[in-house]
Coordinates of all heavy atoms in Angstrom, one line a residue:
I386 N 77.2 -79.4 -18.4 CA 76.1 -78.6 -19.1 C 76.5 -77.2 -19.0 O 76.3 -76.4 -19.9 CB 74.8 -78.8 -18.5 CG1 74.3 -80.2 -18.7 CG2 73.8 -77.8 -19.0 CD1 73.0 -80.6 -18.1
G387 N 77.1 -76.7 -17.9 CA 77.5 -75.2 -17.6 C 79.0 -75.1 -18.2 O 79.9 -75.1 -17.4
S388 N 79.1 -74.9 -19.4 CA 80.4 -74.8 -20.2 C 80.3 -73.6 -21.0 O 79.4 -73.2 -21.5 CB 80.8 -76.1 -20.9 OG 80.9 -77.2 -20.0
I389 N 81.6 -73.3 -21.5 CA 81.8 -72.2 -22.6 C 81.5 -72.9 -23.9 O 82.2 -73.9 -24.2 CB 83.3 -71.7 -22.5 CG1 83.6 -71.0 -21.1 CG2 83.6 -70.7 -23.6 CD1 85.1 -70.8 -20.8
M390 N 80.8 -72.3 -24.7 CA 80.4 -72.8 -26.0 C 81.1 -72.1 -27.1 O 81.2 -72.7 -28.3 CB 79.0 -72.9 -26.2 CG 78.2 -73.7 -25.2 SD 78.5 -75.4 -25.4 CE 77.4 -76.1 -24.1
D391 N 81.6 -70.9 -27.0 CA 82.1 -70.1 -28.0 C 82.8 -68.9 -27.4 O 82.6 -68.5 -26.2 CB 81.1 -69.5 -29.0 CG 81.6 -69.2 -30.4 OD1 82.9 -69.5 -30.6 OD2 81.0 -68.4 -31.1
L392 N 83.7 -68.4 -28.2 CA 84.4 -67.2 -27.7 C 84.9 -66.3 -28.9 O 85.1 -66.9 -30.0 CB 85.7 -67.6 -26.8 CG 87.0 -68.0 -27.5 CD1 88.2 -67.9 -26.5 CD2 87.0 -69.4 -28.1
T393 N 85.2 -65.1 -28.7 CA 85.8 -64.2 -29.7 C 86.5 -63.1 -28.9 O 86.5 -63.0 -27.6 CB 84.6 -63.6 -30.5 OG1 85.2 -62.9 -31.7 CG2 83.6 -62.7 -29.8
T394 N 87.0 -62.1 -29.6 CA 87.5 -60.8 -29.0 C 86.9 -59.7 -29.7 O 86.3 -59.7 -30.7 CB 89.1 -60.8 -29.1 OG1 89.4 -60.4 -30.5 CG2 89.8 -62.1 -28.8
D395 N 86.9 -58.6 -28.9 CA 86.4 -57.3 -29.3 C 87.7 -56.6 -29.9 O 87.8 -55.3 -29.7 CB 85.8 -56.4 -28.5 CG 86.5 -56.1 -27.2 OD1 87.5 -56.4 -27.1 OD2 85.8 -55.3 -26.3
H396 N 88.7 -57.2 -30.5 CA 90.0 -56.6 -30.9 C 90.9 -56.4 -29.7 O 92.1 -55.9 -29.8 CB 89.8 -55.4 -31.7 CG 89.1 -55.5 -32.9 ND1 89.4 -56.5 -33.9 CD2 87.8 -55.1 -33.1 CE1 88.3 -56.4 -34.9 NE2 87.4 -55.6 -34.4
N397 N 90.5 -56.7 -28.5 CA 91.2 -56.4 -27.3 C 90.8 -57.4 -26.2 O 91.4 -58.4 -25.8 CB 91.0 -54.9 -26.7 CG 91.9 -54.6 -25.6 OD1 93.1 -55.1 -25.6 ND2 91.5 -53.8 -24.6
D398 N 89.6 -57.1 -25.5 CA 89.2 -58.1 -24.6 C 88.5 -59.3 -25.2 O 88.3 -59.4 -26.3 CB 88.0 -57.3 -23.6 CG 88.7 -56.1 -22.8 OD1 89.8 -56.3 -22.4 OD2 88.0 -55.1 -22.7
V399 N 88.2 -60.3 -24.2 CA 87.8 -61.6 -24.7 C 86.3 -61.7 -24.1 O 86.0 -61.4 -23.2 CB 88.6 -62.8 -24.0 CG1 88.1 -64.1 -24.4 CG2 90.0 -62.6 -24.3
V400 N 85.5 -62.2 -25.1 CA 84.0 -62.5 -24.8 C 83.8 -63.9 -24.9 O 84.3 -64.7 -25.9 CB 83.2 -61.7 -25.8 CG1 81.6 -62.0 -25.5 CG2 83.4 -60.3 -25.8
I401 N 83.2 -64.6 -24.0 CA 82.9 -66.0 -23.9 C 81.4 -66.1 -23.7 O 80.8 -65.3 -23.0 CB 83.7 -66.7 -22.7 CG1 83.3 -66.1 -21.3 CG2 85.0 -66.8 -23.0 CD1 83.9 -66.8 -20.1
A402 N 80.8 -67.2 -24.1 CA 79.4 -67.4 -24.1 C 79.1 -69.0 -23.9 O 79.9 -69.7 -24.5 CB 78.8 -66.9 -25.3
G403 N 78.0 -69.3 -23.3 CA 77.7 -70.6 -23.0 C 76.5 -70.8 -22.2 O 75.5 -70.1 -22.3
A404 N 76.7 -71.7 -21.2 CA 75.6 -72.1 -20.3 C 76.2 -72.1 -18.8 O 77.2 -72.6 -18.7 CB 74.9 -73.3 -20.6
S405 N 75.4 -71.6 -17.9 CA 75.9 -71.5 -16.5 C 75.7 -73.0 -15.8 O 75.0 -73.9 -16.4 CB 75.1 -70.5 -15.6 OG 73.6 -71.0 -15.5
T406 N 76.1 -73.2 -14.5 CA 75.9 -74.5 -13.9 C 74.4 -74.9 -13.8 O 73.5 -74.2 -13.5 CB 76.5 -74.2 -12.5 OG1 77.9 -74.1 -12.6 CG2 76.3 -75.7 -11.7
Y407 N 74.3 -76.2 -14.1 CA 72.9 -76.7 -14.1 C 72.6 -77.1 -12.7 O 73.4 -77.8 -11.9 CB 72.8 -78.1 -15.0 CG 71.5 -78.6 -15.0 CD1 70.5 -78.2 -15.7 CD2 71.3 -79.7 -14.3 CE1 69.3 -78.7 -15.9 CE2 69.9 -80.4 -14.2 CZ 69.0 -79.9 -15.1 OH 67.7 -80.5 -15.0
V408 N 71.5 -76.8 -12.2 CA 71.0 -76.9 -10.8 C 69.7 -77.9 -10.9 O 68.7 -77.7 -11.5 CB 70.5 -75.8 -10.0 CG1 70.0 -76.0 -8.7 CG2 71.7 -74.8 -10.0
P409 N 69.7 -79.1 -10.3 CA 68.6 -80.1 -10.4 C 67.3 -79.3 -10.0 O 67.2 -78.7 -9.0 CB 69.0 -81.3 -9.5 CG 70.5 -81.2 -9.4 CD 70.8 -79.7 -9.6
N410 N 66.3 -79.6 -10.8 CA 64.9 -79.1 -10.5 C 64.8 -77.7 -10.8 O 63.8 -77.0 -10.5 CB 64.4 -79.6 -9.2 CG 64.5 -80.9 -8.8 OD1 64.1 -81.8 -9.6 ND2 65.0 -81.2 -7.7
K411 N 65.8 -76.9 -11.2 CA 65.9 -75.5 -11.5 C 66.3 -75.2 -12.8 O 65.9 -74.1 -13.4 CB 66.7 -74.8 -10.4 CG 66.0 -74.7 -9.0 CD 66.7 -73.8 -8.2 CE 66.3 -73.8 -6.8 NZ 66.9 -73.0 -5.8
G412 N 67.2 -76.0 -13.3 CA 67.7 -75.8 -14.7 C 69.1 -74.9 -14.6 O 69.8 -74.8 -13.6

Side-chain angles (χ1 to χ4, degrees):
I386 292 176
S388 292
I389 301 167
M390 299 291 181
D391 197 16
L392 83 163
T393 188
T394 71
D395 63 359
H396 306 291
N397 186 36
D398 294 324
V399 180
V400 180
I401 57 175
S405 70
T406 298
Y407 181 83
V408 178
N410 301 318
K411 291 185 178 181

